[in-house]
Amino acid sequence: QKEVEQNSGPLSVPEGAIASLNCTYSDRGSQSFFWYRQYSGKSPELIMFIYSNGDKEDGRFTAQLNKASQYVSLLIRDSQPSDSATYLCAVYTNAGKSTFGDGTTLTVKP
Amino acid sequence: DTGVSQDPRHKITKRGQNVTFRCDPISEHNRLYWYRQTLGQGPEFLTYFQNEAQLEKSRLLSDRFSAERPKGSFSTLEIQRTEQGDSAMYLCASSPLSGVDTQYFGPGTRLTVL
C-alpha cells in the first residue's frame, strides 16, 4: 500500500461543474496536507494547504480534511478548461519529509 | 524573479557520465528539497536541507547521488556514473523555516541518459 493514494483518473467534468479530487494517507502522524496543480511538462504549483479538520476555502477551491478517516479532498467549483491538469496530494509527516501521491488527471470539457 | 530557479533546464548525457544540477531557492527560505519525478508518478523525495545541514536522505538514493548546500543558499545535486534509469525530471523546492512547510517548486531539470 502506498503512503498517499489518489485515483489516477482521468476525471472528466463539464465546464462550470464541481470537480472532486480525493486522497487517502496511511501515516496517522501526518501533520499538514497540500494540494498542488501540475500542468503537463511543468513543475507542481501550490494551490492550498490544510492542517485542521474541516473545510478551508480559497476562491473556487475548498480543501477538506478528516484525520479520523485519513482522508483529504479538494473541490473545485465552477471548473474551467484552464483547470485541466494533474492534481497532486502531498502529506507532510515529519521534519523535512513530504510524500506525494501520483496525482489525479482532471479534464474540464468546454 | 524571486522564485526558485534551477539550472540547467535540460541535460542530455551518455550513460556513465557524471552530471551536476544547481538550485537557487527563494532567498529567505531556509529549507531546500530535491525530488525526482518520472512520467505518471508524483515527485519522489530525495533529500532535504535546513540551511547547510542535510537532515534527511531517502533510502532510495544510491551512493551515486550526492547533494550539497555549502553556504545555506544554493544547492547542487550530482549524479555519478549515470544510468538510463536516472532519466527523470529533477525538482528542487524551498520553504520557509517557520510555519507550515509550504514548498515552492522550481521549474525542474529534465535529465535524459542515452
Side-chain angles (χ1 to χ4, degrees):
Chain A
Q1 181 187 6
K2 299 192 73 172
E3 293 180 52
V4 179
E5 300 241 24
Q6 296 182 252
N7 290 329
S8 61
L11 173 66
S12 180
V13 300
E15 184 175 354
I18 296 175
S20 177
L21 305 162
N22 305 318
C23 173
T24 58
Y25 59 95
S26 60
D27 188 339
R28 286 194 172 273
S30 300
Q31 300 171 10
S32 308
F33 307 85
F34 303 83
W35 284 100
Y36 288 84
R37 176 174 61 196
Q38 187 171 30
Y39 293 112
S40 180
K42 302 295 186 182
S43 62
E45 172 192 8
L46 180 67
I47 298 174
M48 64 189 303
F49 66 87
I50 186 168
Y51 53 85
S52 299
N53 277 327
D55 295 359
K56 179 181 179 182
E57 186 173 319
D58 184 359
R60 296 187 296 112
F61 299 97
T62 299
Q64 299 174 318
L65 175 61
N66 184 325
K67 289 186 177 181
S69 300
Q70 296 175 248
Y71 175 90
V72 58
S73 66
L74 179 70
L75 300 178
I76 306 174
R77 290 181 300 280
D78 188 24
S79 295
Q80 301 298 308
S82 59
D83 293 327
S84 298
T86 296
Y87 288 80
L88 298 165
C89 171
V91 176
Y92 181 82
T93 52
N94 53 37
K97 179 75 182 295
S98 287
T99 302
F100 283 77
D102 289 335
T104 298
T105 300
L106 172 67
T107 300
V108 181
K109 296 186 174 180
Chain B
D1 187 3
T2 57
V4 178
S5 62
Q6 293 186 245
D7 184 70
R9 296 290 302 277
H10 303 275
K11 179 70 176 179
I12 300 174
T13 191
K14 293 183 179 179
R15 188 176 53 188
Q17 298 295 305
N18 299 343
V19 294
T20 300
F21 309 142
R22 176 179 170 126
C23 171
D24 287 87
I26 294 172
S27 60
E28 62 270 24
H29 285 184
N30 303 89
R31 296 171 172 166
L32 186 147
Y33 309 79
W34 285 100
Y35 294 88
R36 177 175 65 187
Q37 187 177 27
T38 54
L39 193 63
Q41 306 292 312
E44 177 185 27
F45 173 82
L46 294 178
T47 191
Y48 155 65
F49 291 85
Q50 183 168 301
N51 298 314
E52 66 275 9
Q54 187 174 21
L55 298 184
E56 184 93 11
K57 186 175 178 180
S58 169
R59 292 191 301 270
L60 300 173
L61 217 60
S62 73
D63 291 341
R64 297 185 297 108
F65 288 71
S66 63
E68 294 183 343
R69 194 183 183 196
K71 297 182 179 180
S73 56
F74 73 91
S75 175
T76 58
L77 176 69
E78 181 182 18
I79 308 174
Q80 297 182 328
R81 305 181 303 282
T82 52
E83 302 172 356
Q84 288 186 324
D86 297 331
S87 295
M89 177 75 86
Y90 290 83
L91 295 164
C92 175
S94 70
S95 71
L97 186 58
S98 61
V100 176
D101 186 47
T102 50
Q103 298 181 29
Y104 298 89
F105 283 84
T109 294
R110 180 163 298 282
L111 172 66
T112 301
V113 181
L114 301 176

